[in-house]
Amino acid sequence: MTDRPKIFKLVVLSAVIVVIGPAIAIVLHSRPTGRPATKAASPQDGGIEEKYRLPPYSPKSAWCKGFARRFVLANPARVNEFLWREKKTAQADFRRAYEGTLRMWLAEDLRDLSGTEFAKTLKRKIEESLKADTPMLKRYYPRVGEKDLLLVHVNNLVHGHYEFKTTYGQPENAESLLRQLTGDCSELGQAGAVLVSLFREDAKIFLFCSDYQTELGQFQTDHCIYVTKDYIFDPVVNMVIRSDLKQILEIAPEKRFESLMDNGRIYLFHNRYLIPDVRKKCIKSYGTDGGVLVFYYPWYLRGFGLKGSKERHMDIPQNLIFARNGKSGQGHR
């Protein structure tokens, strides 16, 4: 979904943040199968407006060039229906509670703050909004314990914040990361981990690089998300998985997604990057398509632990850590 220069950005990042190690250069952005797009998809037979409204797993829908549709088309119908299903009430609730909320806080309450005061105020805003949104969250995440609703609350805030676009240059600290208005999985995954770290010590960035042979050909992807002890979060597609990598690896690769889905361990809320007008803008203007990534998740999970694929839990880089407990944090300027 991004072009190769994004990887060079990460090479620079790995040189600056020594604790991350050289492997970061290949695993911080989602690139599902084949070459990433450089131009918007342009169907030849007209009716492009209608094509953007078709489900992304339909052969006639408008996708980024280079996205291998065969993998999505090969998903069981019930999996694609589960991933596509979106209630209008969910969209309305999301827009009310999360769309642009973090951006509004940054422009108003956090506009003139930095360092420890920035972190304290942001933490307070998250706590206050969580109280107001807890009844709604309980409806959409019925099996998530009340103490963990904070985690899905943060995931929604991050999903509602960034315009999905490949963004270059490494933020100098957590504040500059959040003040960016655009980002891809690199920025969203790191931002989610940073916000959760205001409340918990176990937040980590999770990087995976899948490259394995399937009955449909080679499947390749690089992606950045974030995790805690018992959950996996993808703020790009607004997905929460109530599991950890060890539990996933205990399931046969081709059965992982459906097993987690059938056991109520996968939660999907509103995916704003799948809104037709949003997808259209991203594809035509940026050559990106964040919403469609959710349909590759059966293949993402299938690749975990296979030869040629790599997964890595990574501590939040020092230059992105907030100050804690009123003390000066590393990386603040």
Side-chain angles (χ1 to χ4, degrees):
M1 279 186 357
T2 185
D3 39 19
R4 182 57 63 177
K6 176 76 171 184
I7 301 302
F8 295 128
K9 158 193 164 181
L10 300 172
V11 174
V12 175
L13 171 60
S14 64
V16 174
I17 309 171
V18 179
V19 296
I20 302 178
I24 193 172
I26 60 171
V27 288
L28 269 181
H29 188 68
S30 184
R31 180 172 49 85
T33 73
R35 285 191 175 182
T38 55
K39 296 182 181 179
S42 299
Q44 300 298 316
D45 55 346
I48 190 168
E49 293 298 326
E50 180 60 29
K51 294 180 186 302
Y52 279 110
R53 286 163 172 75
L54 291 171
Y57 50 88
S58 169
K60 293 184 178 180
S61 62
W63 286 24
C64 279
K65 293 179 180 178
F67 277 26
R69 304 175 188 220
R70 64 187 184 277
F71 291 100
V72 173
L73 292 168
N75 288 337
R78 71 191 195 94
V79 168
N80 280 339
E81 289 168 4
F82 170 78
L83 294 171
W84 176 252
R85 193 182 306 133
E86 179 183 313
K87 298 179 180 178
K88 291 183 179 179
T89 53
Q91 180 173 333
D93 285 339
F94 180 88
R95 285 182 167 175
R96 175 189 59 78
Y98 297 112
E99 189 159 352
T101 297
L102 180 55
R103 189 159 54 249
M104 178 183 66
W105 294 346
L106 290 164
E108 298 177 2
D109 305 80
L110 304 167
R111 182 182 59 186
D112 299 321
L113 301 181
S114 62
T116 302
E117 289 304 311
F118 180 96
K120 284 182 176 180
T121 304
L122 178 56
K123 182 176 181 180
R124 177 175 56 80
K125 296 295 294 183
I126 294 173
E127 290 171 333
E128 291 173 351
S129 61
L130 174 63
K131 289 181 181 179
D133 294 326
T134 291
M136 176 189 65
L137 292 171
K138 286 182 176 179
R139 295 199 308 271
Y140 289 108
Y141 304 89
R143 298 190 185 184
V144 174
E146 187 159 352
K147 67 180 180 64
D148 293 328
L149 290 177
L150 167 69
L151 302 176
V152 296
H153 186 60
V154 167
N155 202 57
N156 281 308
L157 286 169
V158 175
H159 182 71
H161 180 54
Y162 291 98
E163 184 171 359
F164 197 81
K165 176 185 176 183
T166 301
T167 300
Y168 300 97
Q170 174 60 19
E172 67 177 14
N173 55 33
E175 297 155 33
S176 58
L177 169 68
L178 294 174
R179 292 191 189 280
Q180 289 184 189
L181 299 181
T182 63
D184 53 34
C185 71
S186 303
E187 285 73 28
L188 275 84
Q190 291 181 87
V194 163
L195 292 185
V196 171
S197 73
L198 288 169
F199 302 90
R200 298 173 52 142
E201 298 288 337
D202 63 340
K204 293 183 181 295
I205 299 170
F206 185 53
L207 318 169
F208 62 86
C209 176
S210 294
D211 189 351
Y212 65 96
Q213 186 65 32
T214 78
E215 62 275 16
L216 300 177
Q218 199 74 8
F219 183 84
Q220 297 175 308
T221 188
D222 307 325
H223 199 40
C224 174
I225 54 180
Y226 68 100
V227 299
T228 58
K229 181 179 179 181
D230 301 318
Y231 291 90
I232 295 173
F233 300 91
D234 189 331
V236 173
V237 300
N238 211 7
M239 174 185 285
V240 176
I241 302 176
R242 188 162 52 89
S243 180
D244 59 22
L245 180 60
K246 182 179 179 181
Q247 292 171 318
I248 291 175
L249 291 175
E250 292 172 352
I251 307 171
E254 67 277 5
K255 297 180 180 179
R256 286 171 181 166
F257 188 90
E258 289 181 86
S259 175
L260 292 166
M261 179 181 77
D262 291 341
N263 285 287
R265 290 182 171 270
I266 296 179
Y267 301 92
L268 296 168
F269 197 19
H270 176 61
N271 185 345
R272 59 191 283 257
Y273 298 135
L274 275 178
I275 296 173
D277 287 345
V278 175
R279 288 191 71 219
K280 177 181 176 180
K281 179 179 179 181
C282 287
I283 293 171
K284 290 177 70 69
S285 301
Y286 310 137
T288 61
D289 190 357
V292 78
L293 295 186
V294 72
F295 296 96
Y296 288 99
Y297 250 88
W299 301 90
Y300 287 175
L301 299 188
R302 182 172 170 177
F304 287 179
L306 296 183
K307 184 178 180 180
S309 298
K310 300 177 182 179
E311 302 83 36
R312 182 175 183 181
H313 292 81
M314 188 183 82
D315 290 332
I316 301 171
Q318 291 184 9
N319 72 329
L320 295 181
I321 294 177
F322 279 125
R324 291 198 181 107
N325 302 320
K327 298 178 182 179
S328 176
Q330 298 183 65
H332 285 291
R333 304 193 176 189

